[in-house]
Amino acid sequence: MLLLTFLLIQSYIIWISSVDGNIPFPKDMNIHVLFPPIIQTHESIPLGHLRPLGWQRRADGPILEDSLNIEPARFYHLFVQGNRSVVIRGIVSALDVLWTDSYLSKRYGHLNVTVAKRKQRLIDTLIMMPFKTFLEQYRQDDLYMNTIIPDEMKTEASLPSLITCGIFSKRLLEPILWISAGDTASLLYAHAQNTLHCVLDGRKDFIIYDTSNKYPHELNLIKQSNGDLFSRIDVDLVNTYKHKYLHSLPWYWTTLYDGDCLFIPAYKFFQVRAHGRTIALSIDMAPPDIRNDFIGLDCERNPPIYISLDKGQFQWRYEHGIRHLTKRIITSDDARTYLLLLLGANDQLYKDIFQNFYVQATHELASKDLGLPTANHIWKQLNNDATNEDYMTRNQITNLPSNVLQLLGDILQKSARIHEYEKSEL
């Protein structure tokens, strides 16, 4: 799930440094909510009309659960290759006692974080503010936090050992920290990445739809430049005259509490609703080529359930309030790896997906180096197939010459190390 400034269809960032003088009404912090809902029919009104998502038909059942000690090979074969969601309880450390608002404010309040309006909308405002300011506001204001967890906080969070070996360890993209208060509903959406969503404190209710089509047009979809799909359906007030399709669409549910995780495969449509004070960590992973078998020679026989999050080798990190690539030395092989990760389980890497990655990776550098090559220019250097300018195949990427890849690698390295350079060196 590549989020932050590129999370929403259209967004802009405002810097906030002080608390608004108005005193808003406190949010409802109740976590004792009935879910899934008890469906009641009315003869004159379609089922679930102007009710939240999930009221349009009875749930078909709970999402499958598996053992805390599930082995990486089993996880890969049954759920990654099998394209199935699964709940694993107790697989991360709960932080309900440690991460109080006062503790977070005192220890990490100086850090800059990205926050957004409480209800995700197709056009939204992303806000950069000190963590302390967010903690002072979020219980009253319509704000929730979604930011790559800062490095300073990683030592106190955990990473399931399940995804730290074999094919998983090389495909970790980013760990996103979510903090919200009150009833907070997401849009109905599907990520282009595999996601392991873990609740560290609080409660989250999930709906996952069983769609046979990767792009069910009945959901009125919008595709983002990173490949994510969002539905225009209002998840709080569903118009079932317009969206009759929901009456026939099977859905499954789960409720996550402290220490529980839910694996959501790429392009599975889901919607989540948080209650009360909730802290969660979602770990995005690039989908593998599922035609390949699992190789886990580095997987331990009896590993700990989880390790410190800072031990994970993620592609992205958060620095100076902006996302950057983690690697500081980027070779031609690294550049090829980035392209293959963008490819995921597909056989074609499309130009818009590459452009989205390039813009994110060079965002800060581009504002300071006006001579920086554009994404379109670099794409033309990489894709020498004059008959097809829209995508590169897996075979093309695998066989790209090192000198061409190094052109991309040098730019990415310069961008990743931008704070190590003096202005005159850019």
Side-chain angles (χ1 to χ4, degrees):
M1 138 187 22
L2 299 175
L3 297 171
L4 299 173
T5 53
F6 301 89
L7 171 70
L8 305 165
I9 299 301
Q10 297 180 25
S11 62
Y12 57 93
I13 294 180
I14 298 176
W15 179 264
I16 301 288
S17 59
S18 61
V19 181
D20 194 330
N22 298 327
I23 302 177
F25 192 78
K27 297 176 185 174
D28 179 6
M29 302 299 286
N30 175 39
I31 66 169
H32 304 292
V33 179
L34 181 63
F35 182 79
I38 297 175
I39 305 299
Q40 296 180 339
T41 60
H42 300 275
E43 293 183 1
S44 60
I45 303 175
L47 194 62
H49 183 58
L50 299 185
R51 300 305 299 268
L53 199 66
W55 287 74
Q56 292 69 46
R57 97 178 237 148
R58 288 183 176 86
D60 288 71
I63 296 170
L64 183 68
E65 298 191 13
D66 210 310
S67 166
L68 174 66
N69 298 307
I70 182 173
E71 295 182 351
R74 172 183 169 86
F75 177 67
Y76 177 78
H77 291 133
L78 289 185
F79 304 110
V80 178
Q81 277 188 327
N83 194 37
R84 300 170 68 190
S85 300
V86 64
V87 175
I88 308 173
R89 301 197 183 276
I91 201 171
V92 293
S93 175
L95 292 173
D96 54 324
V97 176
L98 177 61
W99 277 9
T100 62
D101 285 357
S102 58
Y103 175 83
L104 291 173
S105 181
K106 182 177 180 179
R107 181 149 187 171
Y108 304 115
H110 63 286
L111 299 174
N112 296 324
V113 296
T114 303
V115 306
K117 289 185 182 293
R118 184 169 63 93
K119 180 179 179 181
Q120 297 182 21
R121 296 191 182 278
L122 298 179
I123 300 177
D124 206 349
T125 303
L126 295 178
I127 304 169
M128 185 77 73
M129 64 167 62
F131 196 6
K132 180 179 180 180
T133 303
F134 169 78
L135 292 169
E136 291 169 345
Q137 295 182 353
Y138 82 111
R139 288 177 180 263
Q140 294 83 30
D141 292 351
D142 284 340
L143 299 173
Y144 66 89
M145 189 173 95
N146 62 310
T147 189
I148 295 180
I149 186 170
D151 288 350
E152 295 89 336
M153 300 178 68
K154 287 181 179 178
T155 56
E156 293 184 346
S158 55
L159 176 67
S161 295
L162 176 66
I163 56 173
T164 60
C165 70
I167 198 170
F168 303 120
S169 64
K170 305 299 183 183
R171 310 188 77 80
L172 298 177
L173 297 178
E174 57 189 358
I176 303 295
L177 182 65
W178 301 80
I179 301 180
S180 63
D183 183 53
T184 308
S186 76
L187 293 173
L188 174 60
Y189 57 109
H191 289 310
Q193 316 299 338
N194 291 339
T195 301
L196 189 67
H197 194 98
C198 303
V199 171
L200 310 181
D201 180 24
R203 168 184 171 173
K204 285 194 170 186
D205 297 333
F206 283 82
I207 290 174
I208 292 189
Y209 280 102
D210 185 6
T211 58
S212 57
N213 185 353
K214 184 177 179 179
Y215 302 104
H217 300 292
E218 296 88 346
L219 294 181
N220 198 4
L221 299 174
I222 291 178
K223 184 178 180 179
Q224 290 191 269
S225 57
N226 66 355
D228 289 353
L229 299 172
F230 286 80
S231 170
R232 295 182 178 89
I233 294 174
D234 187 331
V235 298
D236 290 323
L237 295 169
V238 176
N239 184 336
T240 53
Y241 288 100
K242 183 177 181 181
H243 302 294
K244 297 177 182 179
Y245 177 63
L246 294 175
H247 288 144
S248 60
L249 187 60
W251 67 275
Y252 299 83
W253 68 276
T254 193
T255 295
L256 300 185
Y257 296 99
D258 309 0
D260 299 340
C261 294
L262 168 64
F263 172 68
I264 307 173
Y267 294 111
K268 281 284 186 183
F269 282 89
F270 72 98
Q271 194 255 339
V272 57
R273 193 177 294 270
H275 306 282
R277 178 184 186 264
T278 303
I279 302 178
L281 187 71
S282 60
I283 299 167
D284 286 352
M285 300 173 284
D289 183 350
I290 58 175
R291 292 168 295 192
N292 297 328
D293 200 2
F294 181 79
I295 300 176
L297 299 178
D298 60 334
C299 294
E300 299 178 33
R301 174 170 288 239
N302 294 302
I305 300 300
Y306 49 78
I307 61 175
S308 176
L309 186 64
D310 68 318
K311 303 300 183 184
Q313 301 299 310
F314 291 94
Q315 177 177 296
W316 298 97
R317 66 193 293 261
Y318 204 55
E319 184 180 18
H320 297 278
I322 298 174
R323 62 179 17 238
H324 292 278
L325 290 171
T326 300
K327 282 183 175 289
R328 290 299 183 263
I329 298 176
I330 299 177
T331 65
S332 60
D333 287 339
D334 293 325
R336 192 190 316 274
T337 296
Y338 288 138
L339 296 178
L340 290 172
L341 288 175
L342 289 174
L343 189 66
N346 302 311
D347 285 324
Q348 295 89 30
L349 172 60
Y350 285 88
K351 182 178 180 180
D352 59 341
I353 301 295
F354 169 78
Q355 288 177 324
N356 179 75
F357 164 79
Y358 184 85
V359 169
Q360 291 185 63
T362 63
H363 176 69
E364 190 173 10
L365 179 62
S367 66
K368 299 178 180 181
D369 183 358
L370 300 181
L372 185 73
T374 64
N376 190 54
H377 175 80
I378 297 299
W379 177 261
K380 289 180 178 179
Q381 297 294 315
L382 296 171
N383 185 10
N384 57 9
D385 185 355
T387 63
N388 194 337
E389 299 180 356
D390 293 331
Y391 66 81
M392 287 191 292
T393 65
R394 185 180 295 273
N395 186 58
Q396 279 181 274
I397 295 172
T398 301
N399 292 296
L400 278 172
S402 296
N403 63 320
V404 174
L405 285 165
Q406 196 58 56
L407 293 173
L408 173 61
D410 289 344
I411 294 172
L412 297 179
Q413 177 175 299
K414 187 175 182 180
S415 182
R417 302 179 64 176
I418 187 170
H419 294 285
E420 301 175 20
Y421 297 104
E422 297 292 337
K423 187 174 181 180
S424 60
E425 296 179 89
L426 295 175

